[in-house]
Amino acid sequence: MSPAPHHGESAASHPEPAHRVRHARRAVAASLLAVSLIAVSAACDRQDPAPGTHPSASFPSASGTSPSRHDGRIDTGSAHVTSGSGGVPEVHAVLRNEAELSAFAHRFGNRADAITDAARTTDFSRTALVGWSLTTGCAKWPSATLRRSGQRLTLIAGRHPPPPPECFVPFHLIAVFTVPKERLPSEPVFSRPKLNRKGDSH
């Protein structure tokens, strides 16, 4: 006959039945699974954009910028263009009102009236002008276009005859381009014009 336990002996000194141990392990495993699912759900909530939001709002590009939909040719034509012999002040500017147009035109002395008259009908509420002048070396450029790449503006020579083998006097170009305001970059940077010797305007 087994001796009775002493009154001071703890119940912990006796092993738990096997079915209780298995039940406890299952409860712990279920708790861990629930915690994992909550963590995954929280991570998804942080990364997924809100309904109707473009994915780029949550996953920015590596560069932090995106190409403008207006990149490429941005002018709708020239309000004024002239090409002739002799040098000119080499200037370029965005002209947003009549005062800025007049200031640009008066850089060219007695040609100012022809420039302002040609652009007089500009609707400055919707359109801006980009004035650009440069010496074109020995080549005479009867036309040009204006292109955008990001914040950069570049003047591209139109088709023109090849320069003569001997150059006795330089030619120049003065162009005032008509550009819808929404196509202009917020902070324009003027690039070096492309001196296309073959006159390819594309």
Side-chain angles (χ1 to χ4, degrees), residues 7 18 29 44-45 76 86 112 126 129 139 149 170-171 187 199:
H7 292 290
C44 290
D45 289 341
T76 57
R126 297 183 300 174
L129 302 173
S149 178
F171 287 89
E187 298 179 1

Side-chain angles (χ1 to χ4, degrees), residues 23-112:
H23 180 73
R25 288 177 178 173
R26 288 174 182 171
V28 171
S31 299
L32 291 176
L33 178 60
V35 171
S36 299
L37 291 175
I38 292 172
V40 170
S41 176
C44 290
D45 289 341
R46 288 193 302 270
Q47 292 178 3
D48 290 343
T53 304
H54 192 278
S56 61
S58 297
F59 300 95
S61 63
S63 62
T65 60
S66 59
S68 168
R69 64 187 180 92
H70 295 303
D71 280 5
R73 181 175 177 177
I74 61 171
D75 69 282
T76 57
S78 300
H80 175 80
V81 61
T82 182
S83 180
S85 60
V88 292
E90 298 202 357
V91 294
H92 37 65
V94 176
L95 315 172
R96 302 183 184 275
N97 51 55
E98 292 184 3
E100 293 179 354
L101 169 63
S102 179
F104 174 83
H106 280 83
R107 298 289 300 269
F108 307 101
N110 58 9
R111 305 176 194 181

Side-chain angles (χ1 to χ4, degrees), residues 109-121:
N110 58 9
R111 305 176 194 181
D113 289 344
I115 296 173
T116 54
D117 288 347
R120 192 175 301 280
T121 60

